Amino acid sequence: MTVFSDHSIELSHLPFHYREAGDPDAPPVVLLHGLMYDARDWDEIAGFLAEDYRVLALTQRGHGESAWPGAYSFELGCGDLEAFTDSLSLERFTLIGHSMGARVGCVFAEKWPERIERMIWEDTAPVDVDFPEGSEAVPGAAPFDFSAATSLVHQIHHPDPSWWNDLRKITAPTLIIGGGSTSYTPQERLAEAARLLPDGRLATIEGAGHLVHRTRPEEYKELLRKFLKADPS
C-alpha cells in the first residue's frame, strides 16, 4: 500500500499544498491536476508511479488547500511550478499534467525545455476548447475559487498564439493521451500538436472521455509504463 505524505510549502509568499509518495532518492515525477481538482485526484496514478519514482502532486493555486489569491493565469501557474521545483531542488524532472495542468506544463516546457526529462499531457493541447456545461462535475472535485475557473477558461478560449507556435521548443519526449470521441477536446488538434512537437506522439484510449486517468486507469497506467521506460534514443 502506497504511503502518501501531505506538505505545505510557501511559493512566492503564498501557501501551497502538495502530496508526496515514493523513494525520495528516486527520479522525480511532478503531477499537475485539472481544473476544479487538487493533488488527491492523482492518488491512484501516484501510487502506481511511486513504485519507481519520487512522486510530487502539487495542488495548484485557487484549488483545495493551496492559496486562493484571486489572480489566475497559466503564466502564473507556470511561475508556481518553477518556484515549486526550485524549492525542492528539482533541476530536471518528468511532468504529467491533466487538462489545466498539462497547459501549465506546456508553458513551462516551452520556457525551460532543458528542465523536462519527459512529459505527458492528458487530453489537452494549447487550443480553444468548447466546454460542455457540467463537464467537470464528477466525484472527486475539490473546493476551488470560482474566479480561477472564470479566468482560466477565458484564457483557454483565447489562447496565447505563442503556446501553439512554440511547441517546437519542447525537446523532451512528450506523450499526449487522448480520450477519443467521447471527449470534448478536439482529438484532431491533439494529433496535430503531437506532429509539431520534436519528439511527440499521441495515444488514444477510445471512449475514455476527458478524465482519462479516472475512467480508464489501468490502460492509462500501461501507457505510462511503456512511455516512461522507453529508451529515449
Side-chain angles (χ1 to χ4, degrees):
M1 181 177 178
T2 304
V3 176
F4 291 93
S5 56
D6 287 275
H7 304 272
S8 295
I9 189 170
E10 185 173 293
L11 307 174
S12 303
H13 308 293
L14 295 172
F16 282 78
H17 163 260
Y18 71 97
R19 278 166 75 75
E20 182 170 1
D23 184 345
D25 294 322
V29 174
V30 176
L31 303 174
L32 296 179
H33 60 84
L35 186 65
M36 305 181 193
Y37 290 87
D38 65 4
R40 292 176 180 83
D41 181 52
W42 286 114
D43 278 2
E44 181 170 355
I45 302 303
F48 164 75
L49 292 169
E51 296 174 8
D52 298 296
Y53 300 94
R54 179 189 183 189
V55 183
L56 301 150
L58 176 66
T59 297
Q60 298 181 82
R61 65 169 57 207
H63 293 76
E65 297 167 54
S66 288
W68 295 19
Y72 305 101
S73 70
F74 289 102
E75 291 81 5
L76 287 170
C78 175
D80 295 336
L81 177 59
E82 179 194 16
F84 178 62
T85 52
D86 285 351
S87 294
L88 297 178
S89 300
L90 305 180
E91 294 183 6
R92 191 171 170 86
F93 54 94
T94 291
L95 180 60
I96 302 175
H98 171 235
S99 196
M100 174 188 76
R103 287 174 182 262
V104 170
C106 172
V107 177
F108 183 95
E110 289 175 342
K111 193 171 183 179
W112 294 287
E114 71 281 357
R115 297 193 63 180
I116 302 297
E117 185 74 32
R118 291 176 184 266
M119 185 158 55
I120 295 94
W121 299 349
E122 182 184 338
D123 206 58
T124 200
V127 296
D128 187 9
V129 172
D130 185 16
F131 292 100
E133 185 176 354
S135 61
E136 299 270 359
V138 299
F144 68 97
D145 186 346
F146 189 77
S147 67
T150 302
S151 298
L152 295 170
V153 169
H154 177 79
Q155 268 197 296
I156 289 170
H157 285 316
H158 303 87
D160 185 330
S162 69
W163 298 348
W164 184 265
N165 296 335
D166 289 346
L167 286 176
R168 292 180 177 87
K169 294 182 178 180
I170 298 175
T171 55
T174 301
L175 172 66
I176 302 176
I177 300 176
S181 60
T182 56
S183 171
Y184 55 75
T185 301
Q187 300 294 292
E188 67 277 6
R189 299 307 301 275
L190 301 186
E192 189 178 351
R195 289 192 294 269
L196 288 173
L197 290 161
D199 191 357
R201 64 212 72 179
L202 172 66
T204 301
I205 301 178
E206 177 54 44
H210 186 56
L211 299 167
V212 187
H213 69 285
R214 280 180 164 268
T215 60
R216 305 284 275 277
E218 296 309 316
E219 291 168 74
Y220 190 91
K221 292 174 195 175
E222 183 62 14
L223 287 175
L224 294 189
R225 186 189 66 78
K226 290 179 178 178
F227 177 69
L228 295 176
K229 295 296 185 181
D231 186 338
S233 62

